Amino acid sequence: MFNGLHAVLYRELSIYRTRALKQMLSSSLSPLLFLIAFGWGFGRDVTVGGLSYISFLIPGLITMNSLNQSFAISAEINISRFYFHTFDEYLIAPVSYASIAIGEAMFGVFRGLLAAIIIFVYAFIFHVTLSFNPIFFVAILLHTFIFSFLAVTTSMVVKDHSGQALVNNFAITPMIFLCGTFYPIDKLPYAFKLLVYVFPLTYSTKVIRASLTGGEVSFIYVGLMVFYCIMFFLTSLWALRSVEA
Amino acid sequence: MNDNNDILRVDGLKKTFLKDKAAVDGVSFAFSRGEFVGLLGPNGAGKTTTIKMLTGLIRPSSGAIYYFGSDFQKESQKTKALIGVVPQQNNLDRDLTAYENLYLHAILYGIPKAARKARIDELLDFSGLTDYRNRQVKSFSGGTMRRLVILRALLHEPKILFLDEPTVGLDPQIRRVIWDFIVKINRMKNTTILLTTHYIEEAERLCKRVLIINDGLIIVDGDPETLKDGIGRFVLEVHKDDGIEEEFFDNRSDALAALEKSTYPCKVRGVTLEDVFLRLTGRRINV
């Protein structure tokens, strides 16, 4: 039962070990630029909902950076599917599709958590004080699982690399810019608000921000995150079952 | 239930890709233990599609596959442990070492942790790859990668081994090394082997039985010698201005007599499986 999960993690972590430094460096640059541009450049004297802008921004960057890293597994699965065909090894092995999906997703969660830790280091450097609600730990796990299962799903559904780029440009990038990572969504026009409440990132951001800034955590939103997590787990199973090499 | 003496039985297997004509158009065959079978045919005949269906990489449009009498579609996860696959492309993790690639496979196929290392080292020794154990695969030559892929497919001791074009793109010397290795597997481990190839020489040398596939259909099934006997043992090649014509004879003296009479440049040679294919389809395999 756990062979597939174990094998996937063994492979991903063995490869990650050889690239850890490069990947940590590349996932630490863009949030730093956001911090400099929005934290210092633009947000120095701005307050949002009673918080200094940088305190508002840090939890947003945590969701953004962990999303990016968790979802990045889709590009790597694509490479192993389309170019090196190493993914076929999983498909012909006597393991369940669920164990492959969960194994890949756990690796995505691992990368997402590392990306979140980087932002905590920045928060320390920029003297941003955060308060920890234990719900944060549940939320960051749900958040990274949601986008890792979404990554497994899309990497199985797309037919080539450009299909994957399309998903990134039309789903992931708009989510990052619209779902309240950089500004409160109640400032958006009504039509956009409707759109934004379909995206799972909206709920991750709200819950994670509330849990780190002493706000009130909505359990409805936590429930919705659980819902998205289960839904994308099921879509990843469906996608793995229907994939043909 | 099916006859359990058959390690693999295939009934009317068919695969049609979207809006296309059938890539495999209803093939049926059965293999028994220890058989060495070649699936021979030109590029695009349906060899790889057949192998992919037999190994669970693509789903058949219709037809059934039975391993040891049990339905592969229904019991695929369990059955996959009995199958070894050498795909056309060397799908190794290039950033991992030979050992790590094999270790990954050992986990996937549920080889107990205590046995993994010994099993891997034993097989590295069997294939003469011990020196490559701790080197990253990306530094390997094509022939070494190929041997490692074959070795990996053997790690879980499959009952049947599928080799898809095992020597394509390799130089003649390495090709012979691979052939010897495959024959050794078949003899020493009594593993049933299905090998696809479009190299006539490969099929003639290795396979005790040949299925010739063309346009998704199996047009011949038999042992190479009988198939060749069926069209005559000798060929007279007549090199005419617009191409080569072949005439078939049962013995050398008849062929030589015909050669005497011909006004074109001629050559007498023994028949090959390619001639069998040519006779049946009117075209050559390697075009």
Side-chain angles (χ1 to χ4, degrees), chain B residues 75-280:
Chain B
E75 315 247 353
S76 70
Q77 197 184 318
K78 210 171 61 189
T79 311
K80 282 171 176 176
L82 308 171
I83 304 173
V85 186
V86 176
Q88 210 169 96
Q89 194 176 7
N90 293 331
N91 62 343
L92 297 158
D93 272 305
R94 302 164 58 85
D95 292 323
L96 301 184
T97 62
Y99 182 83
E100 287 168 330
N101 269 286
L102 297 171
Y103 197 85
L104 169 66
H105 188 89
I107 303 172
L108 274 173
Y109 285 77
I111 296 173
K113 186 168 188 184
R116 281 176 210 151
K117 187 172 171 295
R119 182 96 193 95
I120 291 169
D121 285 333
E122 180 200 318
L123 270 179
L124 282 169
D125 187 49
F126 177 78
S127 61
L129 288 178
T130 306
D131 290 347
Y132 295 88
R133 188 182 188 275
N134 297 319
R135 284 168 50 180
Q136 277 193 330
V137 165
K138 61 179 155 203
S139 68
F140 292 7
S141 69
T144 308
M145 280 194 200
R146 205 68 190 138
R147 272 193 288 170
L148 185 60
V149 174
I150 298 175
L151 175 61
R152 182 182 64 181
L154 293 175
L155 200 63
H156 57 284
E157 303 188 307
K159 299 282 182 260
I160 180 164
L161 181 63
F162 294 99
L163 298 136
D164 195 1
E165 305 273 4
T167 65
V168 77
L170 299 177
D171 64 45
Q173 196 189 345
I174 298 297
R175 177 175 294 172
R176 265 154 225 277
V177 173
I178 302 274
W179 284 350
D180 289 345
F181 186 41
I182 300 170
V183 170
K184 190 169 154 191
I185 295 161
N186 179 244
R187 295 234 179 95
M188 289 179 62
K189 300 179 187 290
N190 201 21
T191 310
T192 306
I193 291 181
L194 176 67
L195 165 150
T196 77
T197 185
H198 61 268
Y199 295 126
I200 305 297
E201 194 195 355
E202 186 160 284
E204 286 194 349
R205 256 174 178 261
L206 299 175
C207 305
K208 307 278 190 312
R209 178 177 162 199
V210 174
L211 310 176
I212 296 181
I213 185 168
N214 188 43
D215 279 336
L217 288 167
I218 289 178
I219 51 175
V220 181
D221 179 350
D223 82 279
E225 294 311 308
T226 315
L227 293 177
K228 288 192 278 183
D229 282 343
I231 60 166
R233 297 297 314 196
F234 292 92
V235 188
L236 175 70
E237 279 183 4
V238 185
H239 293 243
K240 294 188 172 169
D241 297 339
D242 56 347
I244 303 170
E245 276 179 18
E246 278 105 352
E247 289 172 40
F248 297 91
F249 299 92
D250 285 334
N251 55 62
R252 182 179 283 270
S253 51
D254 288 355
L256 288 171
L259 181 141
E260 299 281 316
K261 280 181 232 149
S262 178
T263 54
Y264 292 98
C266 290
K267 179 181 157 190
V268 175
R269 58 168 174 82
V271 295
T272 66
L273 280 174
E274 178 159 15
D275 299 312
V276 176
F277 182 82
L278 189 69
R279 255 293 173 81
L280 290 164

Side-chain angles (χ1 to χ4, degrees), chain A residues 4-17 19 76-77 79-81 84-87 89-90 104 107, chain B residues 91-96 100-101 104 107-108:
Chain A
L5 192 155
H6 181 188
V8 172
L9 286 175
Y10 172 82
R11 170 181 185 267
E12 298 296 2
L13 293 175
S14 302
I15 293 174
Y16 186 81
R17 225 179 28 219
R19 303 180 185 159
E76 288 183 15
I77 298 174
I79 293 168
S80 77
R81 252 188 85 200
F84 295 121
H85 298 275
T86 42
F87 201 81
E89 262 283 282
Y90 299 151
E104 291 289 4
F107 177 62
Chain B
N91 62 343
L92 297 158
D93 272 305
R94 302 164 58 85
D95 292 323
L96 301 184
E100 287 168 330
N101 269 286
L104 169 66
I107 303 172
L108 274 173

Side-chain angles (χ1 to χ4, degrees), chain A residues 175-236:
Chain A
M175 249 194 266
I176 286 173
F177 280 95
L178 296 177
C179 293
T181 36
F182 305 125
Y183 53 84
I185 48 172
D186 30 282
K187 296 198 174 167
L188 285 172
Y190 183 70
F192 274 97
K193 259 189 221 168
L194 286 182
L195 176 69
V196 154
Y197 276 107
V198 177
F199 287 144
L201 182 62
T202 306
Y203 307 107
S204 307
T205 307
K206 277 180 180 291
V207 172
I208 286 173
R209 180 169 288 132
S211 70
L212 288 176
T213 55
E216 199 177 320
V217 174
S218 157
F219 285 92
I220 293 171
Y221 292 159
V222 177
L224 282 166
M225 289 173 79
V226 174
F227 164 77
Y228 274 108
C229 193
I230 294 172
M231 185 174 86
F232 288 140
F233 169 62
L234 294 176
T235 56
S236 71

